């Protein structure tokens, strides 16, 4: 199982990973825990919406967020952990 995805050089440890190709485009769906300590960095990164995606064992690609959700909306309180879900679609140049 894939344990990490790297978005624009930022590594994210995964708890779930799925990948498939549809109509010639790669789709990736991931879930990962986000703690209070990394919340700002992760949300600032995801705000960009489009990333260079690196996954071990797969070709690198440019990906765009097509779905995004979190189990917690305020991770500024110490000790909290949210589960983020993210789906990316390959963007052709």
């Amino acid at each position: 199982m894939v344990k990490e995805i790297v978005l624009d050089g930022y590594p994210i440890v995964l708890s779930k990973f799925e990948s498939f190709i549809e109509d010639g485009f790669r789709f990736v769906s991931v879930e990962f825990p986000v703690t209070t300590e990394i919340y700002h960095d992760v949300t600032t990164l995801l705000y960009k919406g489009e990333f260079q995606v690196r996954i071990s064992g797969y070709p690198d690609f440019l990906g765009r967020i097509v779905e995004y959700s979190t189990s917690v909306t305020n991770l500024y309180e110490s000790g909290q952990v949210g589960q983020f879900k993210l789906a990316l679609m390959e963007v052709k140049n």
Side-chain angles (χ1 to χ4, degrees):
M1 179 182 140
V2 172
K3 297 181 189 285
E4 180 181 78
I5 189 170
V6 180
L7 304 178
D8 285 350
Y10 188 92
I12 298 173
V13 176
L14 303 176
S15 55
K16 184 176 179 183
F17 172 84
E18 295 177 341
S19 177
F20 62 94
I21 296 176
E22 185 175 301
D23 296 328
F25 293 91
R26 177 169 307 283
F27 286 83
V28 173
S29 176
V30 296
E31 292 184 23
F32 53 96
V34 175
T35 62
T36 301
E37 293 75 25
I38 65 170
Y39 175 68
H40 178 75
D41 292 341
V42 170
T43 55
T44 300
L45 173 68
L46 296 180
Y47 183 73
K48 292 172 56 178
E50 198 169 282
F51 323 92
Q52 187 62 40
V53 180
R54 175 168 286 156
I55 303 164
S56 181
Y58 292 82
D60 292 358
F61 67 96
L62 182 63
R64 178 179 297 139
I65 294 176
V66 292
E67 193 175 322
Y68 166 66
S69 67
T70 179
S71 64
V72 177
T73 57
N74 183 2
L75 281 170
Y76 286 113
E77 295 178 23
S78 181
Q80 295 217 28
V81 178
Q83 189 69 12
F84 280 45
K85 295 180 181 182
L86 180 66
L88 301 167
M89 180 181 107
E90 181 179 10
V91 175
K92 299 287 186 182
N93 295 331

